[in-house]
Amino acid sequence: MLKGHLDMIVLAALSAGPAHGYAVIEEIRRRSGEAFDLPEGTIYPALHRLEQAGLLASRWTTSESGRRRRVYALTRSGDRALAERRALWQQFSDAIGGLLEGTRPCKKPA
Amino acid sequence: MLKGHLDMIVLAALSAGPAHGYAVIEEIRRRSGEAFDLPEGTIYPALHRLEQAGLLASRWTTSESGRRRRVYALTRSGDRALAERRALWQQFSDAIGGLLEGTRPCKKPA
DNA sequence: CTTCCATACCTCGGATTGCTATGGATCGCG
DNA sequence: CGCGATCCATAGCAATCCGAGGTATGGAAG
């Protein structure tokens, strides 16, 4: 469960460059080493939410084959938000690390 | 937001030994470096939930001063569950790491 | 041509989860 | 006694993710 971190994940996926919804799903799957295979019912609402929040901007395009796609890109705000989220994640991750410390017989250098 | 990881956190806090609810809160705060200051309304339901699931066992005690406390301890299942959760966390954490990779101008060795 | 699949988009309802707020009780201290 | 800290508990709320379902197009297969 990605509860609470989905937004960061989507933003991170789009930090590589603009993409449409379906491509975001594949990008996430690829970059997570197949760990995250997010269903559409998760991604699309997230994209809408992020656009609503001004972190993404979307634009309709039509490919040569005539297929219509909605392409999302990070806004300036989105960029900043991603940086924030990443910092928060670091904190969070470290805190969890602290919690798990001592739980496991990890090799202590000292 | 700890969504989805609270159970692991509580289990981790109790892995140091049995404790009562209030003490769990302090243990979590301490071991997380003050990062997590969980309200009682979060912990008590979590403890009940985990006991319901058979991962914790509780026992009423009365201190010398006559104060009644409910002391929780990890069961065998709880121990195993904690190990699982930790493994899952590792996976999850690594996957997020992969996603964030390339997002930041990190020093690339190559 | 018709059928089927992959692509691509969207929405709704359910289930879970954590938090706020509230309440009650006991203990120690000034 | 009043007050804060300790200790337990519940109810209601809000957020979030996901499964299921619906629409539509292009291309390949039959």
Side-chain angles (χ1 to χ4, degrees):
Chain A
M1 282 204 175
L2 331 124
K3 302 237 178 184
H5 306 287
L6 178 66
D7 290 1
M8 176 181 66
I9 292 173
V10 172
L11 292 174
L14 282 171
S15 73
H20 62 281
Y22 215 79
V24 168
I25 293 178
E26 291 179 334
E27 177 74 3
I28 291 176
R29 184 172 43 220
R30 198 180 58 76
R31 297 224 288 192
S32 69
E34 324 294 313
F36 299 148
D37 192 3
L38 307 185
E40 305 176 17
T42 294
I43 291 299
Y44 288 113
L47 288 171
H48 299 336
R49 202 191 318 145
L50 290 170
E51 184 174 22
Q52 202 73 22
L55 306 184
L56 296 183
S58 75
R59 173 173 61 90
W60 281 103
T61 65
T62 307
S63 70
E64 306 149 12
S65 51
R67 205 173 197 59
R68 80 203 203 7
R69 288 169 168 173
R70 197 167 183 175
V71 172
Y72 292 89
L74 282 179
T75 62
R76 201 63 65 90
S77 280
D79 235 9
R80 261 184 283 117
L82 175 55
E84 275 174 39
R85 305 296 179 104
R86 187 173 34 226
L88 274 180
W89 165 259
Q90 206 65 36
Q91 274 183 247
F92 178 73
S93 182
D94 287 352
I96 297 280
L99 258 291
L100 291 181
E101 222 166 72
T103 305
R104 184 65 166 293
C106 9
K107 43 192 172 189
K108 305 176 189 174
Chain B
M1 284 207 174
L2 330 126
K3 299 238 179 185
H5 305 289
L6 177 66
D7 291 359
M8 176 181 67
I9 291 173
V10 172
L11 292 175
L14 282 172
S15 74
H20 60 279
Y22 211 79
V24 168
I25 293 177
E26 292 180 333
E27 177 74 1
I28 291 175
R29 183 171 45 219
R30 197 179 59 76
R31 296 225 288 193
S32 69
E34 326 294 311
F36 299 147
D37 192 3
L38 307 184
E40 306 176 15
T42 293
I43 291 299
Y44 288 112
L47 289 171
H48 299 336
R49 199 174 38 218
L50 290 171
E51 184 174 21
Q52 201 73 21
L55 306 184
L56 296 183
S58 75
R59 173 173 61 91
W60 280 103
T61 65
T62 308
S63 71
E64 306 149 14
S65 51
R67 203 178 196 54
R68 81 204 209 345
R69 288 170 167 171
R70 197 167 183 176
V71 172
Y72 292 88
L74 283 179
T75 62
R76 201 63 67 87
S77 279
D79 235 9
R80 262 184 283 117
L82 175 54
E84 275 174 40
R85 306 295 179 103
R86 187 172 38 222
L88 274 179
W89 165 257
Q90 206 65 35
Q91 273 184 250
F92 178 73
S93 183
D94 287 352
I96 298 279
L99 280 184
L100 292 180
E101 222 166 73
T103 306
R104 185 65 166 293
C106 8
K107 41 193 171 184
K108 305 175 191 176

